[in-house]
Amino acid sequence: MLGSNDLKKMFHCSAYNIANGVCEYIKVINSPYTWEKFYVPKLLIISPVLLKREIIEKEGVYGEFDENSLIQSEHLAQAIESACKVYSIDFLNAADYAEASMVDGLHMDEENHQKLENAIYRKINSMDNW
């Protein structure tokens, strides 16, 4: 899963910027020169769960996330999915299956990890040539 830390206000990243970063990872990983004598691996890119509004309240004024972080979090899955389509990479939106914990508004609790694990398992089993 890529993107949650990039949403920190100190980076000033948009969902589009983060998706462009994902594209760069895809290009490197899909390069046959990276793997020489091996097959290029099959990829599954997973966008992160949405940030919860409580993250701002819990962190306070000097926290790492702000209102823009929340807005970009809402657009992140669509931006990453669009990037994946360009390269025919499989994609899964974690926010469709799990959510961040109320403890910090960023990380998942055990129950949500289990939900996401099940979704990833089903996705991998449905992918061609895995």
Side-chain angles (χ1 to χ4, degrees):
M1 291 195 308
L2 303 169
S4 293
N5 286 331
D6 296 324
L7 294 169
K8 291 178 180 180
K9 63 185 176 184
M10 66 187 235
F11 296 126
H12 307 286
C13 282
S14 69
Y16 177 79
N17 296 136
I18 296 167
N20 281 340
V22 171
C23 286
E24 294 305 312
Y25 283 122
I26 291 170
K27 287 183 216 175
V28 170
I29 294 169
N30 274 346
S31 170
Y33 303 108
T34 302
W35 304 101
E36 295 184 24
K37 298 177 184 176
F38 302 97
Y39 293 107
V40 174
K42 182 85 170 153
L43 296 178
L44 171 62
I45 302 292
I46 304 171
S47 64
V49 295
L50 295 172
L51 298 178
K52 286 197 178 285
R53 173 155 298 285
E54 288 78 10
I55 195 169
I56 296 172
E57 296 163 11
K58 290 181 185 290
E59 290 188 342
V61 175
Y62 301 106
E64 296 182 300
F65 298 93
D66 61 8
E67 283 293 327
N68 187 56
S69 302
L70 294 174
I71 292 167
Q72 297 309 313
S73 175
E74 292 173 3
H75 297 286
L76 189 56
Q78 182 180 2
I80 293 175
E81 183 176 22
S82 294
C84 288
K85 285 181 182 176
V86 170
Y87 297 97
S88 300
I89 300 297
D90 288 289
F91 170 79
L92 182 82
N93 181 1
D96 288 342
Y97 304 95
E99 62 182 87
S101 165
M102 292 298 286
V103 171
D104 68 0
L106 173 65
H107 298 98
M108 294 181 292
D109 58 18
E110 184 177 348
E111 177 186 344
N112 282 283
H113 273 282
Q114 184 68 50
K115 290 176 184 179
L116 183 56
E117 174 190 344
N118 292 334
I120 293 170
Y121 177 81
R122 288 189 305 273
K123 178 67 176 180
I124 288 172
N125 282 325
S126 73
M127 291 168 56
D128 294 330
N129 300 318
W130 188 259

